[in-house]
Amino acid sequence: MRIRARRAAEGHESHEGHAGVEGHAGPETTAVARSGIRRAAGRLRGWGGVSAMAVACAVTAAVVLLPLAHATPDTGRPAVRRPAAMAAAPAAPWALTDTCQDPEASLRPSDVDGATIARIKAAGKLVAGVDQNSFRWGYRNQSAEGSRLDGFDIDLVKAIAKDILGDENAVIYRAIPTSQRVPALQEGRVDIVVRTMTINCKRLEDVAFSTAYFEAGQQVLVPKGSKITGYDTSLKDQRICFAAGSTAEAALKAQPYGSSPVTVANQLDCLVRLQLGEVDGIITDNALAAGQAAQDPSVQLVGSPFTREFYGVAMNKDAPDLVRRVNKVLEGYRAGGDQSAWMKAYLKHLQPVLPGVSGPPAPKYRDG
């Protein structure tokens, strides 16, 4: 089975210890899911009805994972008070417009409680925006013990909750699509977003970031035997898929190489479309693509990474105390070399699909 179907929570919480996962599907997304099921059932592409239905389930899961917002009774506005080593790569054309200095530099770590930390402690829960469709990062792990959220990003969320609340399970997980990561923070639907989110100057206009916790790069994922050779002129006349709001979208807008763009809400939708023959290639973070290639041996990464990107924990710009606290957590998470919590998480989740990483990126700090 090429894609592992993920169970999506629709309009309710599924509890894992103290943790819940929230999702919601409106009429439009439900219609898209049904359309995807019909296409999958009708276009087996020679790999069997069971696998086709797995794709259909994955389409459904990918489109229904929209965040729920709890509204405060007095204002009606969303709130979170209730139970959130790679070789250097050349800069892409769009990256040259990043004019801010040291975007990966974040506020210095501190464990002093401010207004945001006090609110999270009063609520007794950390509300985290995550993915549950990205294999090895944030995904539904089906095991003999049942279904649970797992992955490198999920381990980091637990470390943050443990530091702030004393309990790694004191988390409400909200599954959000790529395009909703910034709005979810701005509208107060989540406290943090830990979802393979690249730090860049444009996003720093809207949200705050921790120091970097992982280094990745944009690369092209295609079926084996494709004539596409990388992020180059071989993309001409090819249908190239990417997630809305991703750095891949910015890259292709700046330099499309004659390709035809196909935009989706969630990056996993691109893999589904690739398997259905609806697109010819995908541009995404190679860290994510490596997990997808592990799920489906008929696809592969081609060319070289054409960016250097750093993942950070995203937070609201008005929560400097939370930014400093997360940076404190990351200091401890990185400490210890081969015995660090970071390295243990890497070996557990990522080393099988993304080998050769020697450690986390070094933190950069700024004052003020």
Side-chain angles (χ1 to χ4, degrees):
M1 190 175 293
R2 293 189 176 183
I3 296 182
R4 303 180 182 184
R6 313 292 182 216
R7 185 182 66 184
E10 186 170 355
H12 66 281
E13 296 182 18
S14 60
H15 290 276
E16 305 171 2
H18 300 296
V21 182
E22 299 182 348
H24 176 70
E28 293 181 352
T29 56
T30 302
V32 171
R34 290 172 179 165
S35 174
I37 292 172
R38 286 195 296 270
R39 288 198 304 272
R43 301 177 64 183
L44 303 186
R45 291 278 167 186
W47 41 284
V50 173
S51 293
M53 286 312 297
V55 170
C57 292
V59 173
T60 305
V63 296
V64 300
L65 299 180
L66 299 179
L68 280 177
H70 290 303
T72 55
D74 52 341
T75 66
R77 297 182 63 189
V80 294
R81 295 179 179 84
R82 290 166 54 189
M86 181 187 301
W94 57 270
L96 299 179
T97 61
D98 260 1
T99 55
C100 67
Q101 294 184 349
D102 292 328
E104 294 86 30
S106 184
L107 297 175
R108 296 188 182 279
S110 172
D111 60 0
V112 175
D113 289 0
T116 305
I117 297 294
R119 176 181 55 73
I120 293 170
K121 287 185 173 181
K125 298 284 185 178
L126 176 72
V127 186
V130 298
D131 197 356
Q132 64 175 14
N133 292 303
S134 292
F135 187 49
R136 300 286 182 172
W137 288 93
Y139 70 106
R140 275 284 170 189
N141 191 344
Q142 307 288 345
S143 65
E145 292 75 29
S147 173
R148 60 185 174 84
L149 273 178
D150 203 359
F152 189 85
D153 280 346
I154 303 303
D155 279 7
L156 180 53
V157 171
K158 290 179 178 179
I160 295 169
K162 175 71 173 178
D163 185 88
I164 296 175
L165 296 167
D167 181 358
E168 69 173 23
N169 293 314
V171 183
I172 294 175
Y173 294 99
R174 290 186 178 166
I176 54 176
T178 306
S179 60
Q180 286 296 305
R181 292 177 297 188
V182 170
L185 287 166
Q186 291 178 321
E187 296 166 11
R189 286 179 266 157
V190 296
D191 297 314
I192 61 175
V193 168
V194 187
R195 195 187 183 284
T196 59
M197 190 168 178
T198 300
I199 305 166
N200 61 40
C201 296
K202 178 62 177 174
R203 288 175 178 162
L204 283 169
E205 296 174 5
D206 300 314
V207 297
F209 279 100
S210 70
T211 53
Y213 67 86
F214 201 87
E215 181 178 345
Q218 294 291 305
Q219 202 166 347
V220 183
L221 184 73
V222 297
K224 291 179 179 177
S226 170
K227 67 179 183 180
I228 298 173
T229 58
Y231 183 63
D232 52 35
T233 55
S234 66
L235 296 180
K236 183 175 174 59
D237 299 325
Q238 302 298 298
R239 300 162 297 176
I240 304 301
C241 189
F242 53 83
S246 66
T247 47
E249 180 179 30
L252 275 178
K253 282 184 177 179
Q255 178 53 277
Y257 285 113
S259 63
S260 299
V262 178
T263 309
V264 297
N266 277 300
Q267 199 278 331
L268 183 67
D269 295 348
C270 283
L271 183 59
V272 174
R273 288 175 181 261
L274 188 69
Q275 291 178 317
L276 291 174
E278 296 177 353
V279 299
D280 303 301
I282 301 168
I283 292 183
T284 187
D285 300 358
N286 60 354
L288 289 174
Q292 293 176 358
Q295 289 177 282
D296 184 352
S298 72
V299 301
Q300 64 181 359
L301 286 162
V302 294
S304 300
F306 57 90
T307 64
R308 289 185 72 190
E309 301 180 15
F310 297 89
Y311 297 159
V313 179
M315 290 154 280
N316 192 288
K317 292 188 73 172
D318 295 328
D321 60 321
L322 182 58
V323 175
R324 293 182 186 276
R325 187 62 167 266
V326 170
N327 284 339
K328 172 185 171 292
V329 175
L330 284 170
E331 283 284 296
Y333 205 66
R334 299 184 191 98
D338 290 344
Q339 298 303 312
S340 68
W342 189 98
M343 183 56 70
K344 289 177 180 178
Y346 164 75
L347 293 174
K348 175 183 176 183
H349 298 293
L350 300 180
Q351 195 272 340
V353 298
L354 198 67
V357 178
S358 59
K364 296 180 180 180
Y365 295 112
R366 60 179 172 83
D367 295 307

